[in-house]
Amino acid sequence: MRPRTRTTGTAVGAAALALAVLAVLAVLAVLAVLAGCNRGSDAAGRIGIDVPRTDTDFWNSYQRYLEADLARGGPAALPLANSQNDVGKVVSDVQALTAQGARAIVMAPQDTGAITAELRRLAAKKIPVVSVDTRPDDGPVYMVVRADNRAYGERSCAYLGARLGGHGRVAELQGDLSSINGRDRSEAFASCMKRKFPGITVHELATDWKGEVASAKLQSLLAQHPDLDGVYLQAGGAFLQPVLALLRQRGLLKPVGTPGHLTLVSNDGIPEELAAIRAGTLDATLSQPADRYAEYALYYARAALAGKTFRPGPTDHGSTIVRIGNGLEDQLPAPLVTKDNVDDPHLWANRTEQGR
């Protein structure tokens, strides 16, 4: 009987072990299912982001802020795409991101008229879009995160006009006029000059946001009109260094407040512009909030995935949401920076690793 008893005991032990193994496997299977569900949920709520370019300091700063926000526990996102200032690549990047499971898209199309078809495709798939810095001409958007670009043109005009006493000759280095930003700044600047400072002659130089084009056209203008009194740079990130180099080469880079100084007003607010203001080679800039562009692009993308809705009016972060033809736009503030406030710690450029 002992052998039988031992055999039975062995069988019972084996059965118990088998049951234990099965139990563990069952738990692991449940955990695997849950993990799979979590991965699926994460994929369903993942954000796809296309960075528009890496050839200006402003957009490089924007990308660093995005990466920092995501690293600090921001919303789940796929690896960043970069469309390199090519609207065709924006479309292919976005389609690749949605194919990988992105359920919301953050983009900054530089050609705001050519993105319409893709926005409509995304809307048909119920994929919300947050557009940063640029407002698409047509096609549904959930939210545009942007500063008031008409205010850039108007405030730059007001500053230049006042500094020149309402008389003189200025060059306007325009951005890409196929972009809403280039058009808004240019139209507002021209309207303000015509209305408030008719004694100032404005030379409009289209540049396509390219620094080398800006430098070449400004050089040609200076050859024709050496009496130039000021320059409006619609994008300091692209234009500042080429313009300063050209003026230095021609012996025209005089410190602010000295005879022969050309009044220079810029837009962007990058660290190099603030450094130039401190050095007395740049008079003023309007600071585009690269940090808040990144912060609120991710904020609205997450809100879209959560099904939240917004209405026009003041926000709790010092901006105003306005209704546009194809959605809503959160117009973030862009302060004027001069020697009087260039060291303000609230300016994003003073908080970057490139800052002072």
PDB file of all heavy atoms in Angstrom, residues 158-179:
ATOM      1  N   ALA A 158       4.188 101.039 -35.460  1.00  0.00           N
ATOM      2  CA  ALA A 158       4.071 102.129 -34.484  1.00  0.00           C
ATOM      3  C   ALA A 158       5.431 102.460 -33.871  1.00  0.00           C
ATOM      4  O   ALA A 158       5.770 103.642 -33.680  1.00  0.00           O
ATOM      5  CB  ALA A 158       3.077 101.740 -33.391  1.00  0.00           C
ATOM      6  N   TYR A 159       6.224 101.430 -33.577  1.00  0.00           N
ATOM      7  CA  TYR A 159       7.535 101.668 -32.977  1.00  0.00           C
ATOM      8  C   TYR A 159       8.462 102.370 -33.971  1.00  0.00           C
ATOM      9  O   TYR A 159       9.096 103.389 -33.645  1.00  0.00           O
ATOM     10  CB  TYR A 159       8.155 100.351 -32.517  1.00  0.00           C
ATOM     11  CG  TYR A 159       9.452 100.534 -31.765  1.00  0.00           C
ATOM     12  CD1 TYR A 159       9.451 100.730 -30.387  1.00  0.00           C
ATOM     13  CD2 TYR A 159      10.672 100.544 -32.436  1.00  0.00           C
ATOM     14  CE1 TYR A 159      10.644 100.919 -29.689  1.00  0.00           C
ATOM     15  CE2 TYR A 159      11.866 100.736 -31.760  1.00  0.00           C
ATOM     16  CZ  TYR A 159      11.840 100.927 -30.385  1.00  0.00           C
ATOM     17  OH  TYR A 159      13.020 101.118 -29.705  1.00  0.00           O
ATOM     18  N   LEU A 160       8.538 101.833 -35.185  1.00  0.00           N
ATOM     19  CA  LEU A 160       9.407 102.441 -36.202  1.00  0.00           C
ATOM     20  C   LEU A 160       8.975 103.875 -36.512  1.00  0.00           C
ATOM     21  O   LEU A 160       9.802 104.787 -36.587  1.00  0.00           O
ATOM     22  CB  LEU A 160       9.355 101.612 -37.484  1.00  0.00           C
ATOM     23  CG  LEU A 160      10.480 100.606 -37.738  1.00  0.00           C
ATOM     24  CD1 LEU A 160      10.195  99.820 -39.012  1.00  0.00           C
ATOM     25  CD2 LEU A 160      11.832 101.288 -37.826  1.00  0.00           C
ATOM     26  N   GLY A 161       7.665 104.060 -36.717  1.00  0.00           N
ATOM     27  CA  GLY A 161       7.165 105.388 -37.059  1.00  0.00           C
ATOM     28  C   GLY A 161       7.478 106.416 -36.004  1.00  0.00           C
ATOM     29  O   GLY A 161       7.890 107.546 -36.319  1.00  0.00           O
ATOM     30  N   ALA A 162       7.309 106.033 -34.747  1.00  0.00           N
ATOM     31  CA  ALA A 162       7.596 106.967 -33.651  1.00  0.00           C
ATOM     32  C   ALA A 162       9.084 107.276 -33.561  1.00  0.00           C
ATOM     33  O   ALA A 162       9.484 108.438 -33.364  1.00  0.00           O
ATOM     34  CB  ALA A 162       7.084 106.386 -32.337  1.00  0.00           C
ATOM     35  N   ARG A 163       9.924 106.260 -33.716  1.00  0.00           N
ATOM     36  CA  ARG A 163      11.373 106.469 -33.621  1.00  0.00           C
ATOM     37  C   ARG A 163      11.891 107.355 -34.749  1.00  0.00           C
ATOM     38  O   ARG A 163      12.855 108.118 -34.559  1.00  0.00           O
ATOM     39  CB  ARG A 163      12.089 105.120 -33.658  1.00  0.00           C
ATOM     40  CG  ARG A 163      11.766 104.199 -32.504  1.00  0.00           C
ATOM     41  CD  ARG A 163      12.447 104.586 -31.231  1.00  0.00           C
ATOM     42  NE  ARG A 163      13.874 104.362 -31.256  1.00  0.00           N
ATOM     43  CZ  ARG A 163      14.651 104.388 -30.185  1.00  0.00           C
ATOM     44  NH1 ARG A 163      14.116 104.642 -28.996  1.00  0.00           N
ATOM     45  NH2 ARG A 163      15.941 104.190 -30.282  1.00  0.00           N
ATOM     46  N   LEU A 164      11.241 107.260 -35.915  1.00  0.00           N
ATOM     47  CA  LEU A 164      11.684 108.063 -37.063  1.00  0.00           C
ATOM     48  C   LEU A 164      10.976 109.407 -37.144  1.00  0.00           C
ATOM     49  O   LEU A 164      11.212 110.181 -38.072  1.00  0.00           O
ATOM     50  CB  LEU A 164      11.470 107.283 -38.362  1.00  0.00           C
ATOM     51  CG  LEU A 164      12.228 105.962 -38.500  1.00  0.00           C
ATOM     52  CD1 LEU A 164      11.960 105.329 -39.854  1.00  0.00           C
ATOM     53  CD2 LEU A 164      13.719 106.144 -38.268  1.00  0.00           C
ATOM     54  N   GLY A 165      10.093 109.671 -36.191  1.00  0.00           N
ATOM     55  CA  GLY A 165       9.381 110.942 -36.186  1.00  0.00           C
ATOM     56  C   GLY A 165       8.425 111.101 -37.343  1.00  0.00           C
ATOM     57  O   GLY A 165       8.099 112.226 -37.745  1.00  0.00           O
ATOM     58  N   GLY A 166       7.977 109.972 -37.907  1.00  0.00           N
ATOM     59  CA  GLY A 166       6.999 110.018 -38.987  1.00  0.00           C
ATOM     60  C   GLY A 166       7.566 110.323 -40.360  1.00  0.00           C
ATOM     61  O   GLY A 166       6.807 110.506 -41.312  1.00  0.00           O
ATOM     62  N   HIS A 167       8.898 110.358 -40.488  1.00  0.00           N
ATOM     63  CA  HIS A 167       9.515 110.672 -41.782  1.00  0.00           C
ATOM     64  C   HIS A 167      10.708 109.752 -42.035  1.00  0.00           C
ATOM     65  O   HIS A 167      11.385 109.331 -41.090  1.00  0.00           O
ATOM     66  CB  HIS A 167       9.988 112.128 -41.822  1.00  0.00           C
ATOM     67  CG  HIS A 167       8.884 113.126 -41.640  1.00  0.00           C
ATOM     68  ND1 HIS A 167       8.032 113.492 -42.643  1.00  0.00           N
ATOM     69  CD2 HIS A 167       8.481 113.814 -40.532  1.00  0.00           C
ATOM     70  CE1 HIS A 167       7.150 114.355 -42.192  1.00  0.00           C
ATOM     71  NE2 HIS A 167       7.395 114.583 -40.907  1.00  0.00           N
ATOM     72  N   GLY A 168      10.952 109.439 -43.305  1.00  0.00           N
ATOM     73  CA  GLY A 168      12.115 108.648 -43.649  1.00  0.00           C
ATOM     74  C   GLY A 168      11.804 107.532 -44.622  1.00  0.00           C
ATOM     75  O   GLY A 168      10.773 107.536 -45.301  1.00  0.00           O
ATOM     76  N   ARG A 169      12.703 106.551 -44.636  1.00  0.00           N
ATOM     77  CA  ARG A 169      12.615 105.443 -45.582  1.00  0.00           C
ATOM     78  C   ARG A 169      12.936 104.142 -44.835  1.00  0.00           C
ATOM     79  O   ARG A 169      13.951 104.062 -44.134  1.00  0.00           O
ATOM     80  CB  ARG A 169      13.617 105.665 -46.722  1.00  0.00           C
ATOM     81  CG  ARG A 169      13.521 104.656 -47.860  1.00  0.00           C
ATOM     82  CD  ARG A 169      14.626 104.920 -48.887  1.00  0.00           C
ATOM     83  NE  ARG A 169      14.568 106.272 -49.435  1.00  0.00           N
ATOM     84  CZ  ARG A 169      13.774 106.619 -50.451  1.00  0.00           C
ATOM     85  NH1 ARG A 169      12.978 105.716 -51.008  1.00  0.00           N
ATOM     86  NH2 ARG A 169      13.790 107.865 -50.903  1.00  0.00           N
ATOM     87  N   VAL A 170      12.068 103.144 -44.978  1.00  0.00           N
ATOM     88  CA  VAL A 170      12.305 101.874 -44.284  1.00  0.00           C
ATOM     89  C   VAL A 170      12.164 100.708 -45.259  1.00  0.00           C
ATOM     90  O   VAL A 170      11.427 100.781 -46.248  1.00  0.00           O
ATOM     91  CB  VAL A 170      11.336 101.673 -43.092  1.00  0.00           C
ATOM     92  CG1 VAL A 170      11.464 102.794 -42.094  1.00  0.00           C
ATOM     93  CG2 VAL A 170       9.909 101.516 -43.564  1.00  0.00           C
ATOM     94  N   ALA A 171      12.876  99.639 -44.943  1.00  0.00           N
ATOM     95  CA  ALA A 171      12.751  98.375 -45.666  1.00  0.00           C
ATOM     96  C   ALA A 171      11.941  97.413 -44.811  1.00  0.00           C
ATOM     97  O   ALA A 171      12.138  97.346 -43.593  1.00  0.00           O
ATOM     98  CB  ALA A 171      14.125  97.790 -45.955  1.00  0.00           C
ATOM     99  N   GLU A 172      11.046  96.714 -45.455  1.00  0.00           N
ATOM    100  CA  GLU A 172      10.266  95.688 -44.758  1.00  0.00           C
ATOM    101  C   GLU A 172      10.647  94.322 -45.317  1.00  0.00           C
ATOM    102  O   GLU A 172      10.379  94.015 -46.487  1.00  0.00           O
ATOM    103  CB  GLU A 172       8.768  95.926 -44.948  1.00  0.00           C
ATOM    104  CG  GLU A 172       7.908  94.867 -44.280  1.00  0.00           C
ATOM    105  CD  GLU A 172       6.438  94.959 -44.665  1.00  0.00           C
ATOM    106  OE1 GLU A 172       6.102  95.754 -45.563  1.00  0.00           O
ATOM    107  OE2 GLU A 172       5.646  94.214 -44.075  1.00  0.00           O
ATOM    108  N   LEU A 173      11.311  93.506 -44.509  1.00  0.00           N
ATOM    109  CA  LEU A 173      11.681  92.147 -44.913  1.00  0.00           C
ATOM    110  C   LEU A 173      10.501  91.239 -44.611  1.00  0.00           C
ATOM    111  O   LEU A 173      10.306  90.797 -43.482  1.00  0.00           O
ATOM    112  CB  LEU A 173      12.938  91.699 -44.172  1.00  0.00           C
ATOM    113  CG  LEU A 173      14.167  92.592 -44.390  1.00  0.00           C
ATOM    114  CD1 LEU A 173      15.358  92.074 -43.591  1.00  0.00           C
ATOM    115  CD2 LEU A 173      14.517  92.705 -45.870  1.00  0.00           C
ATOM    116  N   GLN A 174       9.694  90.990 -45.640  1.00  0.00           N
ATOM    117  CA  GLN A 174       8.464  90.229 -45.466  1.00  0.00           C
ATOM    118  C   GLN A 174       8.744  88.732 -45.423  1.00  0.00           C
ATOM    119  O   GLN A 174       9.693  88.238 -46.021  1.00  0.00           O
ATOM    120  CB  GLN A 174       7.501  90.523 -46.622  1.00  0.00           C
ATOM    121  CG  GLN A 174       7.085  91.981 -46.732  1.00  0.00           C
ATOM    122  CD  GLN A 174       6.278  92.247 -47.987  1.00  0.00           C
ATOM    123  OE1 GLN A 174       6.603  91.757 -49.061  1.00  0.00           O
ATOM    124  NE2 GLN A 174       5.200  93.017 -47.843  1.00  0.00           N
ATOM    125  N   GLY A 175       7.864  88.023 -44.730  1.00  0.00           N
ATOM    126  CA  GLY A 175       7.930  86.575 -44.754  1.00  0.00           C
ATOM    127  C   GLY A 175       7.293  86.038 -46.023  1.00  0.00           C
ATOM    128  O   GLY A 175       7.051  86.756 -46.985  1.00  0.00           O
ATOM    129  N   ASP A 176       7.007  84.757 -46.010  1.00  0.00           N
ATOM    130  CA  ASP A 176       6.362  84.108 -47.150  1.00  0.00           C
ATOM    131  C   ASP A 176       4.914  84.588 -47.231  1.00  0.00           C
ATOM    132  O   ASP A 176       4.129  84.386 -46.303  1.00  0.00           O
ATOM    133  CB  ASP A 176       6.419  82.592 -46.949  1.00  0.00           C
ATOM    134  CG  ASP A 176       5.883  81.825 -48.148  1.00  0.00           C
ATOM    135  OD1 ASP A 176       5.324  82.451 -49.064  1.00  0.00           O
ATOM    136  OD2 ASP A 176       6.028  80.581 -48.149  1.00  0.00           O
ATOM    137  N   LEU A 177       4.545  85.201 -48.342  1.00  0.00           N
ATOM    138  CA  LEU A 177       3.193  85.746 -48.468  1.00  0.00           C
ATOM    139  C   LEU A 177       2.153  84.669 -48.765  1.00  0.00           C
ATOM    140  O   LEU A 177       0.960  84.968 -48.833  1.00  0.00           O
ATOM    141  CB  LEU A 177       3.167  86.840 -49.533  1.00  0.00           C
ATOM    142  CG  LEU A 177       4.051  88.051 -49.197  1.00  0.00           C
ATOM    143  CD1 LEU A 177       3.972  89.095 -50.294  1.00  0.00           C
ATOM    144  CD2 LEU A 177       3.675  88.654 -47.857  1.00  0.00           C
ATOM    145  N   SER A 178       2.586  83.407 -48.948  1.00  0.00           N
ATOM    146  CA  SER A 178       1.625  82.311 -49.027  1.00  0.00           C
ATOM    147  C   SER A 178       1.229  81.842 -47.632  1.00  0.00           C
ATOM    148  O   SER A 178       0.338  81.022 -47.468  1.00  0.00           O
ATOM    149  CB  SER A 178       2.206  81.129 -49.815  1.00  0.00           C
ATOM    150  OG  SER A 178       3.265  80.508 -49.094  1.00  0.00           O
ATOM    151  N   SER A 179       1.906  82.389 -46.628  1.00  0.00           N
ATOM    152  CA  SER A 179       1.613  82.077 -45.228  1.00  0.00           C
ATOM    153  C   SER A 179       0.735  83.170 -44.639  1.00  0.00           C
ATOM    154  O   SER A 179       0.941  84.359 -44.895  1.00  0.00           O
ATOM    155  CB  SER A 179       2.924  81.984 -44.427  1.00  0.00           C
ATOM    156  OG  SER A 179       2.696  82.146 -43.042  1.00  0.00           O
TER     157      SER A 179
END
